[in-house]
Amino acid sequence: MPPKRKTTPAINLIAGGTAGLCEAICCHPLDTIKVRMQLSTRKVLDGGRRMGFFATGVNIARKESVFGLYKGLGAVITGIVPKMAIRFSSFELFKNALADKTTNKTSSSGIFLAGLAAGTAEAILVVNPTDVIKIRLQAQRHSMADPLDVPKYRNAAHAAFTIVREEGIGALYRGVILTSLRQATNQAVNFTAYTEIKAYLKTLQPQYDELPSYQHMVTGLISGALGPLSNAPIDTIKTRMQKETAIEGESAVARVSRIARNLMQREGFSAFYKGITPRVMRVAPGQAVTFAVYEQVSKSLEQVPLLNGGHQSVLTAED
């Protein structure tokens, strides 16, 4: 069997950041559509239907220009490099800590726990603040083609400054518990599924030292689709919470309960799954792009002596 691929924190940073940038540029319009669908409070009346995925996208492009689909992209790109660096580096750290001391191998349950920890770390340090900024920008219904249509938040930096000035630094961490739950479950399922599927494909194709890029992409597509299906209600409540301003004296638990209760009473159980189609369509191909780009970029960077320090790859399946 060929030697296992090696990566270092520097490779994780560069490859992860590159992968995240490609993912954001390719898939951000789907995220904007998802957020708009989750924020929609329209009910089904007189046999009418809620605006679906494609209709929402067309409506945004028609009223706000095609660039409206990229609202909040600046906040996403700003957080991509540190998020991916934290995700892959912390996953490796926790994975190695949970490895068997005799065999130095990590079990499937260990990989799942490492994914939970990595998702929690990225949520607290990066994802939640950028999510709040991104959602505030995406919720604005102004035309980006009309220079006279000036929104409250002009860009990611202005949104961050305005939110902190008007609501305090704590506003950037509104919904952090729900964000942590979402990211933790996403990455636990994501890394576990990706590692197991990749290991299975390698047993079926022993002639490959490394799987072809399209197989990395398909594997990432499958693993990426599983997380959103398991935690859609958490994501919808989180989005509603981060979009609104805080009510004085209301605790986080009370806020979650109020939002969940209003969703059920006013819009029905299906409202908890608003935006699930664009979310799966956003996250699944996003993970396909992330893993495929990460594998290729890290493979290329491993040939650079200054970057290759001899650490085991976070994405190497256990033998």
Side-chain angles (χ1 to χ4, degrees):
M1 176 168 290
K4 290 184 176 181
R5 287 172 51 194
K6 310 293 184 180
T7 63
T8 64
I11 291 177
N12 289 334
L13 173 64
I14 299 172
T18 303
L21 179 62
C22 292
E23 178 213 5
I25 293 172
C26 292
C27 304
H28 189 74
L30 298 172
D31 189 69
T32 299
I33 296 172
K34 180 212 74 169
V35 168
R36 288 294 181 86
M37 291 180 73
Q38 288 178 328
L39 294 177
S40 170
T41 57
R42 292 175 59 187
K43 296 183 66 176
V44 178
L45 299 173
D46 301 325
R49 298 179 61 186
R50 289 191 181 95
M51 192 175 292
F53 167 64
F54 290 106
T56 300
V58 170
N59 187 59
I60 293 172
R62 187 179 68 247
K63 293 184 177 180
E64 304 168 42
S65 86
V66 174
F67 296 110
L69 293 169
Y70 284 91
K71 286 179 178 177
L73 180 60
V76 175
I77 291 178
T78 300
I80 277 292
V81 172
K83 180 178 82 170
M84 290 300 180
I86 290 168
R87 175 182 298 179
F88 287 107
S89 299
S90 61
F91 175 77
E92 180 178 23
L93 175 67
F94 293 122
K95 174 174 172 282
N96 290 337
L98 294 168
D100 184 275
K101 304 306 178 185
T102 304
T103 63
N104 202 34
K105 295 179 180 179
T106 308
S107 64
S108 295
S109 59
I111 290 173
F112 186 86
L113 291 174
L116 281 176
T120 302
E122 71 177 21
I124 295 172
L125 296 175
V126 179
V127 176
N128 202 85
T130 57
D131 256 12
V132 172
I133 296 168
K134 173 181 70 71
I135 288 169
R136 294 292 181 91
L137 289 167
Q138 289 173 321
Q140 297 183 132
R141 299 175 184 272
H142 66 289
S143 174
M144 297 186 72
D146 183 359
L148 299 180
D149 190 359
V150 181
K152 179 178 181 179
Y153 307 117
R154 296 192 294 271
N155 51 52
H158 180 254
F161 175 78
T162 304
I163 292 169
V164 172
R165 184 188 62 193
E166 295 182 352
E167 305 172 46
I169 191 70
L172 294 177
Y173 284 90
R174 189 166 298 143
V176 67
I177 294 176
L178 293 177
T179 301
S180 298
L181 285 172
R182 183 194 67 178
Q183 294 302 115
T185 51
N186 272 351
Q187 298 316 315
V189 171
N190 194 23
F191 277 114
T192 303
Y194 185 85
T195 302
E196 292 298 317
I197 295 172
K198 181 179 175 182
Y200 178 68
L201 290 175
K202 282 191 171 184
T203 62
L204 295 179
Q205 305 167 101
Q207 70 274 24
Y208 288 129
D209 290 344
E210 187 61 43
L211 295 177
S213 293
Y214 80 89
Q215 292 189 22
H216 288 306
M217 185 167 286
V218 172
T219 303
L221 185 75
I222 296 171
S223 66
L226 298 178
L229 294 174
S230 67
N231 58 26
I234 294 174
D235 190 56
T236 299
I237 295 172
K238 176 200 72 70
T239 299
R240 294 287 179 97
M241 177 182 288
Q242 291 176 328
K243 189 261 182 181
E244 66 179 26
T245 55
I247 297 176
E248 187 174 354
E250 185 180 47
S251 67
V253 174
R255 189 177 303 124
V256 170
S257 299
R258 171 177 57 80
I259 292 173
R261 185 171 58 253
N262 288 343
L263 275 168
M264 178 64 76
Q265 292 176 350
R266 299 176 183 177
E267 303 172 53
F269 180 76
S270 63
F272 288 101
Y273 287 85
K274 276 186 174 181
I276 186 61
T277 298
R279 187 176 174 217
V280 171
M281 292 183 68
R282 162 70 175 86
V283 175
Q287 290 306 304
V289 171
T290 296
F291 279 121
V293 173
Y294 180 90
E295 295 277 8
Q296 289 303 308
V297 174
S298 60
K299 184 178 178 181
S300 298
L301 293 176
E302 284 157 13
Q303 309 306 314
V304 180
L306 290 176
L307 296 177
N308 190 353
H311 295 280
Q312 180 179 320
S313 170
V314 300
L315 297 180
T316 297
E318 299 297 338
D319 295 331

